[in-house]
Amino acid sequence: MVRTVQKALNDSPAARWSALFLVSFTMMASYFFADVISPIEEVLNKALKWDGQQFGLVTGSYSFFNIIGLLVIGGIILDRLGVRYTGGTFTLLMVIGAVVKAYAVSPYFNAGGIGYDFLDSFFQSYTPSSKLAATGFAIFGLGSEMAGVAVTRIIIKWFTGKELALAMGLQVAIARLGTGCAFLLSSRLAGELNAFKPVAFGVLLLCAGFVCFLIYCMMDVKLDRSLTTEAAPEAEEPFRFADVAKLLVHKGFLYISILCASFYSCVFPFLKFASSIMANKFHVDSTTASDIVFYLPFGTIIFTPLFGSLIDTKGKGASLMILGSVLLIISHLLFIYAPSDIVYAYIAIFVLGIAFSLVPAAMWPSVPKVCPSKLLGTGYALIFWIQNIGMFIFPYLIGYIRDISNPGVSDRIRVGDITAEYNYFYPEMMLVIVGLLTLFFAFMLKVNDKKYFYGLELPNKQ
């Protein structure tokens, strides 16, 4: 009698790519909402009286709950309870936080709706809407980052030994389509004074993303059943909290964590102000400025999977992280020193887009090479936690440095002075310095890989 061997569900290309696209849509909705107000800072200034510091506070609040340790706790929960429970819970949390932020910018709340008077009774240098929006965005940020950790763990679960870097690259690319759509649509939906429409649209998109994740959970149950065979794999060592401490003194893990934090601190906080930088540096209207920024995530949609496929087959992950770090520095130097011709805006965005494709395509598949499998959820959560410290601090710093180096400009824009312009020299110089830090740790990671042989320069595909 011939015994048939049942294949695991992730051996089916159709199944694993379907799972990938379901969770990628969830993250696309998350990325859209994360940047939905980035192109409409001027609208928020005029309609809700948000200056640069308030705008920076709201955009930076995304990371507040993450940096106080809740993200790390979520990673530990993920390792103990699995992706379905953890991912579903935090995806729902994204929706809740988004609803709070949408309420904060709604006409009802700002006409004196429920909670307005209470929020107006303290910290009166900040508007009630900015305080409530920051609260909602902080809740959303915790859900978004933890959902991102869960999705990364899901991809490793379905694609290890297969097209891992390509899958991670595609997930990042699809997610960044959300960022691109935010820059393409938000200013058009908002018009001159309506910040609520694009934010409300983002909430609807998140609800659809939550449904997609629930559908994925049903597939995940089938995958677990298909992995149960007569010849069960050797049991992995149980999770121990003491192992988490070992990660924090692991040089390879620390280098990749700091590289991640410094790299994303040069990109995501920049994106919050990118439309304003384009408008003021290259003298274009707000819609054109948003359209220029749109090409950054759009370019990564093409290049990130391409670089991911290259790393799967050829390797050289550590070297490509160094190259990406160099391009990151060049792009920010272009935003400082390039002439005001709009052609240079596209060149600078293109260079940043290549960097934004290279580093993540090489970095995220490298984490399993330096982190034990049983700690991957915790490891990714720790990396995201360190990353979120930068993402919390730098939007506020950019807004603060811009405002103090351009005294009175925010007030002039609010009253409709069309000659008022910001100079972003000092905020951009700060990002160049952080870019140099990124390059240093990318180089140290490669040196460490040669010493301990993590396999960062080797192909991922077996």
Side-chain angles (χ1 to χ4, degrees), residues 251-272:
K251 283 187 177 180
F253 181 79
L254 285 177
Y255 290 155
I256 205 168
S257 299
I258 299 172
L259 186 156
C260 174
S262 57
F263 177 80
Y264 281 117
S265 292
C266 288
V267 179
F268 286 127
F270 164 82
L271 283 175
K272 306 303 182 187

Side-chain angles (χ1 to χ4, degrees), residues 335-387:
F335 284 120
I336 298 173
Y337 294 111
S340 296
D341 192 314
I342 194 173
V343 172
Y344 292 97
Y346 285 106
I347 293 173
I349 281 291
F350 177 77
V351 173
L352 183 58
I354 297 297
F356 200 23
S357 301
L358 270 174
V359 175
M363 179 174 61
W364 294 122
S366 297
V367 176
K369 297 180 179 182
V370 300
C371 182
S373 176
K374 65 178 177 178
L375 291 174
L376 272 177
T378 305
Y380 275 108
L382 282 168
I383 292 173
F384 280 37
W385 171 63
I386 296 170
Q387 170 191 328

Side-chain angles (χ1 to χ4, degrees), residues 168-180:
M168 285 190 169
L170 279 171
Q171 185 271 311
V172 170
I174 294 169
R176 287 182 187 157
L177 180 61
T179 299

Side-chain angles (χ1 to χ4, degrees), residues 49-292:
K49 298 182 174 61
W50 292 12
D51 59 18
Q53 291 183 53
Q54 291 185 79
F55 184 77
L57 171 73
V58 173
T59 54
S61 67
Y62 173 96
S63 301
F64 176 76
F65 289 125
N66 298 322
I67 66 172
I68 64 174
L70 296 185
L71 180 57
V72 178
I73 294 171
I76 294 171
I77 293 171
L78 173 61
D79 281 330
R80 294 176 73 92
L81 299 182
V83 294
R84 293 194 294 271
Y85 174 82
T86 311
T89 299
F90 284 95
T91 303
L92 178 60
L93 198 64
M94 280 199 294
V95 177
I96 294 170
V99 170
V100 173
K101 185 176 180 181
Y103 177 62
V105 299
S106 69
Y108 173 77
F109 175 76
N110 287 282
I114 297 171
Y116 186 93
D117 290 337
F118 169 72
L119 288 168
D120 197 30
S121 65
F122 58 92
F123 297 135
Q124 293 185 337
S125 58
Y126 293 87
T127 63
S129 61
S130 69
K131 285 177 276 192
L132 185 59
T135 302
F137 203 41
I139 296 169
F140 165 82
L142 176 60
S144 176
E145 289 296 293
M146 199 56 240
V149 174
V151 166
T152 303
R153 195 70 175 91
I154 286 166
I155 295 171
I156 293 169
K157 182 177 182 178
W158 285 76
F159 285 89
T160 294
K162 300 177 176 68
E163 312 92 342
L164 180 60
L166 175 60
M168 285 190 169
L170 279 171
Q171 185 271 311
V172 170
I174 294 169
R176 287 182 187 157
L177 180 61
T179 299
C181 289
F183 281 95
L184 192 65
L185 298 177
S186 287
S187 58
R188 290 174 169 84
L189 290 171
E192 289 295 320
L193 291 172
N194 194 335
F196 177 68
K197 280 185 179 180
V199 178
F201 179 77
V203 172
L204 293 176
L205 205 58
L206 283 168
C207 291
F210 179 63
V211 172
C212 282
F213 195 89
L214 293 180
I215 296 171
Y216 164 76
C217 287
M218 291 186 282
M219 293 188 67
D220 192 74
V221 171
K222 291 182 179 179
L223 174 63
D224 286 348
R225 288 174 180 167
S226 72
L227 291 172
T228 304
T229 62
E230 288 186 18
E234 185 179 344
E236 195 177 66
E237 291 182 36
F239 175 91
R240 293 191 300 257
F241 284 98
D243 292 329
V244 179
K246 294 179 183 178
L247 280 180
L248 296 175
V249 294
H250 187 294
K251 283 187 177 180
F253 181 79
L254 285 177
Y255 290 155
I256 205 168
S257 299
I258 299 172
L259 186 156
C260 174
S262 57
F263 177 80
Y264 281 117
S265 292
C266 288
V267 179
F268 286 127
F270 164 82
L271 283 175
K272 306 303 182 187
F273 292 86
S275 293
S276 177
I277 291 172
M278 299 301 159
N280 288 273
K281 167 73 176 179
F282 299 102
H283 310 298
V284 295
D285 61 74
S286 59
T287 300
T288 303
S290 298
D291 289 348
I292 295 171

